[in-house]
């Protein structure tokens, strides 16, 4: 299987090259030439496997450069004692029609671990498979969770360095502490004056700077990405949609072949896109519900067919979704529109700030996706509703999806069994979750939330404030290249 650029389908490279590169030379995103099919018999077999077996089965269909034995080794290491549960992505069954897919049991308590514990194995192996002699610097822009997960995944990995940029006022206190106290000899962290889109745009400009690439190549380095623009980051996320479906079957909530819905809190569009790819492979999915906070650019896009980032940017209590440029939407556009139109849409987006897709394409997208949004007050009310009614604690991002799913059901009458994709531990946003519960936030919010909920503080988040702060830098977006250059040395 070869991989193509969303902006030039004539470009064809191997999976190892796609993972090592991260981004296509023309700035496009790399996509598989075809999506492999999964039959009902295949899904039945997946139901009898553990999560690691499911991951090997799904990923091997995309990675012809890797042997099954290699993937088994990577999965056994990526999903092991670094998780606090035997099942890395367990389902919490709320009632007869709703379950929450808990993707936050890994070392950083966020769903990004599901891919970023795997990516270092895929990337380092890809360097060997492609004969790459240079070392790689992983460059990341984060809205909160990706940064820590990437830092944790790549710390002290041979032949790599990793540098993370985050918006100075755009992450939670706990997310910030996780990053600026990160251990490892090959890691760097810096905040950016501006929002996530400013950081993301700055990183993309560095990737597109040929002079910069030549300068670091002379030092024996090249750049790659751990954001979901890297196919090696997106691929492991496809797995947990199959796994959730199998767990719904095994729990007796659906029968094999019955369709379900997924509601996904969505910012950069990678998480929900992975689910869509699973559906296109053959997973029985009725509908994906794209849930946004007040930064509802995706909600408007699916409703109108116009993507318009020329709008107010809101800082919310679900900061990982505070995004106006959803990078992975480009991959979806490519599937429906081809490379020429996708390239033009991206030119328009970064030129004038908007683009409008053809009406027939907009109609086709609405056949697969619904969309909704809610504000901070509604998010808090949903946290309280779920906790009071079910004694189940959810974070501020999961609550957005939970609320939007409820709204969707009321509006459509569609009560198809649904999985809410739960993307972070509520303790990562402890102060806002406490506020939602109407509980006093005196003292340490982690301890207070544990006392209020009866849930233990996750081990990776305990004693964060006592850890040594290593990174305090803050730069303008224009100074980001010099930070990376200095970090590489």
């Amino acid at each position: 299987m070869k991989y193509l650029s969303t902006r030039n389908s004539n470009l064809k490279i191997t999976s190892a090259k796609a993972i090592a590169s991260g981004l296509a030379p023309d700035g496009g995103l790399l996509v598989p030439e075809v999506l492999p099919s999964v039959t009902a018999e295949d899904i039945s077999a997946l139901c009898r496997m553990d999560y690691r077996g499911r991951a090997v089965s799904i990923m091997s269909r995309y990675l012809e450069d890797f042997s099954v034995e290699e993937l088994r080794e990577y999965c056994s290491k990526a999903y092991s004692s670094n998780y606090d549960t035997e099942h890395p992505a367990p389902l919490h069954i709320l009632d007869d029609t709703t379950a929450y897919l808990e993707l936050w049991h890994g070392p950083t308590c966020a769903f990004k671990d599901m891919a970023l514990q795997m990516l270092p194995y895929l990337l380092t192996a890809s360097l060997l498979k492609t004969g790459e002699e240079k070392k790689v610097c992983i460059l990341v822009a984060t809205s909160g969770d990706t940064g820590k997960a990437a830092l944790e995944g790549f710390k002290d990995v041979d032949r790599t360095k990793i540098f993370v940029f985050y918006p100075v006022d755009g992450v939670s206190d706990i997310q910030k502490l996780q990053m600026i106290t990160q251990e490892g000899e090959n890691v760097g962290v810096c905040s950016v004056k501006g929002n996530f889109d400013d950081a993301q745009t700055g990183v993309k400009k560095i990737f597109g700077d040929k002079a910069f690439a030549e300068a670091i190549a002379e030092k024996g380095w090249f750049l790659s990405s751990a954001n979901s623009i890297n196919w090696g980051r997106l691929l492991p996320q496809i797995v947990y949609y199959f796994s959730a479906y199998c767990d719904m079957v095994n729990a007796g909530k659906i029968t094999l072949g019955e369709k379900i819905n997924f509601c996904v809190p969505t910012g950069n569009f990678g998480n929900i896109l992975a689910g869509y790819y699973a559906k296109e492979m053959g997973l029985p999915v009725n509908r994906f519900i794209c849930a946004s906070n007040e930064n509802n650019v995706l909600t408007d896009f699916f409703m109108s067919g116009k993507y318009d980032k020329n709008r107010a940017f809101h800082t919310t209590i679900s900061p990982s979704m505070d995004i106006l440029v959803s990078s992975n939407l480009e991959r979806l556009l490519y599937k429906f529109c081809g490379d020429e139109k996708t390239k033009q849409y991206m030119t328009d987006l970064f030129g004038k700030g908007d683009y409008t897709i053809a009406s027939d394409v907009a109609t086709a997208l609405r056949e697969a996706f619904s969309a909704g949004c809610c504000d901070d007050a509604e998010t808090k009310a949903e946290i309280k509703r779920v906790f009071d009614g079910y004694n189940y604690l959810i974070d501020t991002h999961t609550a957005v999806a939970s609320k939007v799913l409820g709204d969707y059901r009321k509006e459509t009458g569609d009560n198809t069994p649904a999985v809410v994709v739960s993307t972070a531990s509520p303790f990562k946003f402890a102060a806002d979750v406490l506020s939602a519960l109407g509980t006093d936030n005196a003292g340490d919010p982690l301890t207070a939330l544990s006392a209020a909920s009866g849930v233990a503080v996750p081990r990776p988040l305990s004693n964060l404030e006592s850890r040594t702060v290593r990174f305090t830098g803050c730069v303008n977006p224009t100074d980001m290249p010099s930070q990376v250059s200095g970090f590489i040395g």
Side-chain angles (χ1 to χ4, degrees), residues 273-292:
L273 178 68
Y276 177 76
Y277 281 160
K279 177 186 178 182
E280 290 298 289
M281 292 172 67
L283 188 67
V285 178
N286 174 55
R287 182 158 291 273
F288 288 97
I289 303 152
C290 178
S292 300

Side-chain angles (χ1 to χ4, degrees), residues 120-177:
Y121 297 105
L122 296 176
L123 181 59
T124 53
S126 294
L127 296 180
L128 295 175
K129 292 176 185 293
T130 58
E132 179 59 69
E133 296 182 353
K134 293 190 290 294
K135 292 175 284 189
V136 58
C137 180
I138 309 297
L139 197 56
V140 176
T142 184
S143 56
D145 288 333
T146 293
K148 172 59 180 178
L151 290 163
E152 191 66 26
F154 279 96
K155 72 174 181 182
D156 295 327
V157 171
D158 189 41
R159 296 184 64 194
T160 72
K161 286 189 174 185
I162 177 168
F163 199 90
V164 171
F165 290 103
Y166 69 92
V168 62
D169 295 318
V171 300
S172 75
D173 291 341
I174 291 174
Q175 287 173 316
K176 179 180 177 179
L177 273 173

Side-chain angles (χ1 to χ4, degrees), residues 437-465:
L437 297 180
T439 302
D440 182 21
N441 189 15
D444 175 31
L446 291 169
T447 303
L449 183 57
S450 179
S453 65
V455 179
V457 178
R459 181 175 51 82
L461 302 181
S462 62
N463 301 316
L464 268 179
E465 292 186 354

